[in-house]
Amino acid sequence: MRAVIPVAGYGTRLRPHTYTVPKVLLNVAGKPIIAHILDSLISHGITDVTFVVGPMGEQIEQYVRLRYPSLRAVFVEQTEPLGLGHAIWCARTTFNHEPIIIILGDTIFDADLERFVHSPTSAIGVKEVEDPRRFGVVEVADGDIVRLVEKPSDPPSHLAIVGLYLIRNSRLLVECLEHLIAREIRTKGEYQLTDALQCMLDRSERITAFPIEGWYDCGKPETLLETNRFLLERSQQSVMPPTNAIVLPPSYIAPTASIERSIVGPYATIGDGAIVSDARVANSIIGAGARVSAVVLTGSIIGNNATVCGSFHTLNVGDSSQINYA
Ligand code: UTP
């Protein structure tokens, strides 16, 4: 089975990082987001992958070709991010009517993929959320999806579409996408996959709801850090303790990073070649080649090769004084 991974969005919510690095190449818990997704696909025997790329797509292609030489990867371009539906439409010639799974490039799943890909019907991964108005939402009867709505103001249920889809009848999906594009049918300005799936339902395709236990979004700074915490907690890799520093688990420190006179963790990811000195870093992602010194960082994302340098103070403070660096 082929996986189609749309990665052509601008990633505006993760600027400034996404000005120079595509979102899927941001490091979370020791490897890029896309590597988590590909490792999971490969472990389930899926090695045919179409990437729909946009700006900086060549960085993604370079990474995938270098790190996953055995993957049968195809790259197609979406020149303008006109929506998820449009991204899949751009990939249509690569799947030629075969069943496909679609996975959003900025979402990591903890799901029974084995059972998912063997579903006899088309299926959509769903999870119950408190406020479904920000998501595509499904209405379900006896496990079958009977209606889909994109970001509804009056949601028909609390079941949000999480970004994992199995499409058995990909020929019908392409027909429905063509229908939307030919008639300029957009929701919130974009050609939505949700609308194409509703069109499939209207044309009698059976689509079932597949509950997903773990759904870890990487689309915003706070969700990227949350996913970093979750993945570090789950992997609990042992880290070689540096000689003059303390590492509080769970944390990931690249073997080529250097940590000196610092306390790192919990929930720190330190990239390749980064140098952390005289610092305290927790719940943060430090990019490759970054330099962090004499600062206390928490809830931070530091880009590759960036420098964050604090300072020490010399004080001569009398009794009962109060100094606040807030
Ligand atoms: P998002 O809705 O998160 O959009 O797309 P985005 O551009 O990545 O991020 P923001 O909203 O600007 O911060 C979910 C997934 O679908 C892809 C994105 O690359 C991401 O992997 N996508 C979205 C496309 O490939 N093309 C599109 O037109 C839209």
PDB file of all heavy atoms in Angstrom, residues 166-179:
ATOM      1  N   LEU A 166      -7.588   6.045   5.455  1.00  0.00           N
ATOM      2  CA  LEU A 166      -7.377   4.911   4.554  1.00  0.00           C
ATOM      3  C   LEU A 166      -8.429   5.040   3.454  1.00  0.00           C
ATOM      4  O   LEU A 166      -9.633   5.081   3.749  1.00  0.00           O
ATOM      5  CB  LEU A 166      -7.569   3.590   5.312  1.00  0.00           C
ATOM      6  CG  LEU A 166      -7.604   2.342   4.435  1.00  0.00           C
ATOM      7  CD1 LEU A 166      -6.229   2.039   3.847  1.00  0.00           C
ATOM      8  CD2 LEU A 166      -8.097   1.127   5.230  1.00  0.00           C
ATOM      9  N   ILE A 167      -7.954   5.128   2.221  1.00  0.00           N
ATOM     10  CA  ILE A 167      -8.892   5.293   1.109  1.00  0.00           C
ATOM     11  C   ILE A 167      -8.808   4.050   0.230  1.00  0.00           C
ATOM     12  O   ILE A 167      -7.796   3.820  -0.436  1.00  0.00           O
ATOM     13  CB  ILE A 167      -8.547   6.555   0.265  1.00  0.00           C
ATOM     14  CG1 ILE A 167      -8.433   7.795   1.156  1.00  0.00           C
ATOM     15  CG2 ILE A 167      -9.576   6.740  -0.859  1.00  0.00           C
ATOM     16  CD1 ILE A 167      -9.709   8.246   1.817  1.00  0.00           C
ATOM     17  N   ARG A 168      -9.845   3.248   0.272  1.00  0.00           N
ATOM     18  CA  ARG A 168      -9.862   2.022  -0.545  1.00  0.00           C
ATOM     19  C   ARG A 168     -10.117   2.370  -2.013  1.00  0.00           C
ATOM     20  O   ARG A 168      -9.483   1.820  -2.886  1.00  0.00           O
ATOM     21  CB  ARG A 168     -10.964   1.073  -0.043  1.00  0.00           C
ATOM     22  CG  ARG A 168     -10.631   0.460   1.281  1.00  0.00           C
ATOM     23  CD  ARG A 168     -10.172  -1.000   1.122  1.00  0.00           C
ATOM     24  NE  ARG A 168      -9.440  -1.429   2.286  1.00  0.00           N
ATOM     25  CZ  ARG A 168      -8.179  -1.835   2.271  1.00  0.00           C
ATOM     26  NH1 ARG A 168      -7.500  -1.883   1.153  1.00  0.00           N
ATOM     27  NH2 ARG A 168      -7.584  -2.217   3.374  1.00  0.00           N
ATOM     28  N   ASN A 169     -11.078   3.281  -2.228  1.00  0.00           N
ATOM     29  CA  ASN A 169     -11.466   3.611  -3.597  1.00  0.00           C
ATOM     30  C   ASN A 169     -10.832   4.957  -3.989  1.00  0.00           C
ATOM     31  O   ASN A 169     -11.487   5.992  -3.996  1.00  0.00           O
ATOM     32  CB  ASN A 169     -13.004   3.682  -3.653  1.00  0.00           C
ATOM     33  CG  ASN A 169     -13.515   3.825  -5.066  1.00  0.00           C
ATOM     34  OD1 ASN A 169     -12.742   4.041  -5.995  1.00  0.00           O
ATOM     35  ND2 ASN A 169     -14.826   3.718  -5.225  1.00  0.00           N
ATOM     36  N   SER A 170      -9.531   4.909  -4.310  1.00  0.00           N
ATOM     37  CA  SER A 170      -8.833   6.183  -4.549  1.00  0.00           C
ATOM     38  C   SER A 170      -9.264   6.807  -5.881  1.00  0.00           C
ATOM     39  O   SER A 170      -9.144   8.006  -6.075  1.00  0.00           O
ATOM     40  CB  SER A 170      -7.317   5.996  -4.492  1.00  0.00           C
ATOM     41  OG  SER A 170      -6.880   5.204  -5.561  1.00  0.00           O
ATOM     42  N   ARG A 171      -9.794   5.970  -6.788  1.00  0.00           N
ATOM     43  CA  ARG A 171     -10.303   6.522  -8.054  1.00  0.00           C
ATOM     44  C   ARG A 171     -11.476   7.471  -7.771  1.00  0.00           C
ATOM     45  O   ARG A 171     -11.567   8.567  -8.316  1.00  0.00           O
ATOM     46  CB  ARG A 171     -10.766   5.371  -8.946  1.00  0.00           C
ATOM     47  CG  ARG A 171     -11.322   5.844 -10.286  1.00  0.00           C
ATOM     48  CD  ARG A 171     -12.292   4.814 -10.845  1.00  0.00           C
ATOM     49  NE  ARG A 171     -11.608   3.597 -11.228  1.00  0.00           N
ATOM     50  CZ  ARG A 171     -11.426   3.212 -12.496  1.00  0.00           C
ATOM     51  NH1 ARG A 171     -11.875   3.945 -13.473  1.00  0.00           N
ATOM     52  NH2 ARG A 171     -10.810   2.079 -12.776  1.00  0.00           N
ATOM     53  N   LEU A 172     -12.376   7.028  -6.846  1.00  0.00           N
ATOM     54  CA  LEU A 172     -13.528   7.872  -6.499  1.00  0.00           C
ATOM     55  C   LEU A 172     -13.060   9.146  -5.774  1.00  0.00           C
ATOM     56  O   LEU A 172     -13.607  10.231  -5.987  1.00  0.00           O
ATOM     57  CB  LEU A 172     -14.522   7.090  -5.621  1.00  0.00           C
ATOM     58  CG  LEU A 172     -15.762   7.861  -5.177  1.00  0.00           C
ATOM     59  CD1 LEU A 172     -16.567   8.370  -6.373  1.00  0.00           C
ATOM     60  CD2 LEU A 172     -16.656   6.996  -4.281  1.00  0.00           C
ATOM     61  N   LEU A 173     -12.018   8.995  -4.927  1.00  0.00           N
ATOM     62  CA  LEU A 173     -11.505  10.187  -4.238  1.00  0.00           C
ATOM     63  C   LEU A 173     -11.041  11.227  -5.265  1.00  0.00           C
ATOM     64  O   LEU A 173     -11.361  12.413  -5.150  1.00  0.00           O
ATOM     65  CB  LEU A 173     -10.346   9.807  -3.301  1.00  0.00           C
ATOM     66  CG  LEU A 173      -9.626  11.006  -2.654  1.00  0.00           C
ATOM     67  CD1 LEU A 173     -10.571  11.787  -1.736  1.00  0.00           C
ATOM     68  CD2 LEU A 173      -8.393  10.569  -1.868  1.00  0.00           C
ATOM     69  N   VAL A 174     -10.300  10.768  -6.262  1.00  0.00           N
ATOM     70  CA  VAL A 174      -9.801  11.712  -7.283  1.00  0.00           C
ATOM     71  C   VAL A 174     -10.975  12.339  -8.041  1.00  0.00           C
ATOM     72  O   VAL A 174     -10.992  13.553  -8.292  1.00  0.00           O
ATOM     73  CB  VAL A 174      -8.808  11.006  -8.240  1.00  0.00           C
ATOM     74  CG1 VAL A 174      -8.437  11.919  -9.408  1.00  0.00           C
ATOM     75  CG2 VAL A 174      -7.554  10.596  -7.480  1.00  0.00           C
ATOM     76  N   GLU A 175     -11.990  11.529  -8.344  1.00  0.00           N
ATOM     77  CA  GLU A 175     -13.182  12.092  -9.025  1.00  0.00           C
ATOM     78  C   GLU A 175     -13.803  13.202  -8.183  1.00  0.00           C
ATOM     79  O   GLU A 175     -14.179  14.256  -8.684  1.00  0.00           O
ATOM     80  CB  GLU A 175     -14.240  10.997  -9.230  1.00  0.00           C
ATOM     81  CG  GLU A 175     -14.004  10.157 -10.471  1.00  0.00           C
ATOM     82  CD  GLU A 175     -14.974   8.983 -10.541  1.00  0.00           C
ATOM     83  OE1 GLU A 175     -16.121   9.071 -10.017  1.00  0.00           O
ATOM     84  OE2 GLU A 175     -14.559   7.954 -11.086  1.00  0.00           O
ATOM     85  N   CYS A 176     -13.901  12.940  -6.871  1.00  0.00           N
ATOM     86  CA  CYS A 176     -14.519  13.932  -5.974  1.00  0.00           C
ATOM     87  C   CYS A 176     -13.644  15.184  -5.865  1.00  0.00           C
ATOM     88  O   CYS A 176     -14.153  16.303  -5.835  1.00  0.00           O
ATOM     89  CB  CYS A 176     -14.767  13.318  -4.597  1.00  0.00           C
ATOM     90  SG  CYS A 176     -16.200  12.230  -4.623  1.00  0.00           S
ATOM     91  N   LEU A 177     -12.313  15.000  -5.820  1.00  0.00           N
ATOM     92  CA  LEU A 177     -11.416  16.166  -5.765  1.00  0.00           C
ATOM     93  C   LEU A 177     -11.553  16.975  -7.049  1.00  0.00           C
ATOM     94  O   LEU A 177     -11.605  18.204  -7.015  1.00  0.00           O
ATOM     95  CB  LEU A 177      -9.970  15.698  -5.571  1.00  0.00           C
ATOM     96  CG  LEU A 177      -9.648  15.115  -4.190  1.00  0.00           C
ATOM     97  CD1 LEU A 177      -8.279  14.436  -4.179  1.00  0.00           C
ATOM     98  CD2 LEU A 177      -9.698  16.203  -3.111  1.00  0.00           C
ATOM     99  N   GLU A 178     -11.648  16.261  -8.182  1.00  0.00           N
ATOM    100  CA  GLU A 178     -11.814  16.962  -9.459  1.00  0.00           C
ATOM    101  C   GLU A 178     -13.129  17.748  -9.482  1.00  0.00           C
ATOM    102  O   GLU A 178     -13.180  18.870  -9.984  1.00  0.00           O
ATOM    103  CB  GLU A 178     -11.755  15.968 -10.615  1.00  0.00           C
ATOM    104  CG  GLU A 178     -10.431  16.111 -11.334  1.00  0.00           C
ATOM    105  CD  GLU A 178      -9.875  14.814 -11.898  1.00  0.00           C
ATOM    106  OE1 GLU A 178     -10.666  13.911 -12.249  1.00  0.00           O
ATOM    107  OE2 GLU A 178      -8.637  14.715 -11.954  1.00  0.00           O
ATOM    108  N   HIS A 179     -14.146  17.145  -8.896  1.00  0.00           N
ATOM    109  CA  HIS A 179     -15.454  17.804  -8.818  1.00  0.00           C
ATOM    110  C   HIS A 179     -15.328  19.128  -8.040  1.00  0.00           C
ATOM    111  O   HIS A 179     -15.816  20.171  -8.473  1.00  0.00           O
ATOM    112  CB  HIS A 179     -16.425  16.837  -8.125  1.00  0.00           C
ATOM    113  CG  HIS A 179     -17.724  17.421  -7.723  1.00  0.00           C
ATOM    114  ND1 HIS A 179     -18.765  17.580  -8.606  1.00  0.00           N
ATOM    115  CD2 HIS A 179     -18.159  17.900  -6.529  1.00  0.00           C
ATOM    116  CE1 HIS A 179     -19.782  18.141  -7.978  1.00  0.00           C
ATOM    117  NE2 HIS A 179     -19.452  18.341  -6.714  1.00  0.00           N
TER     118      HIS A 179
END
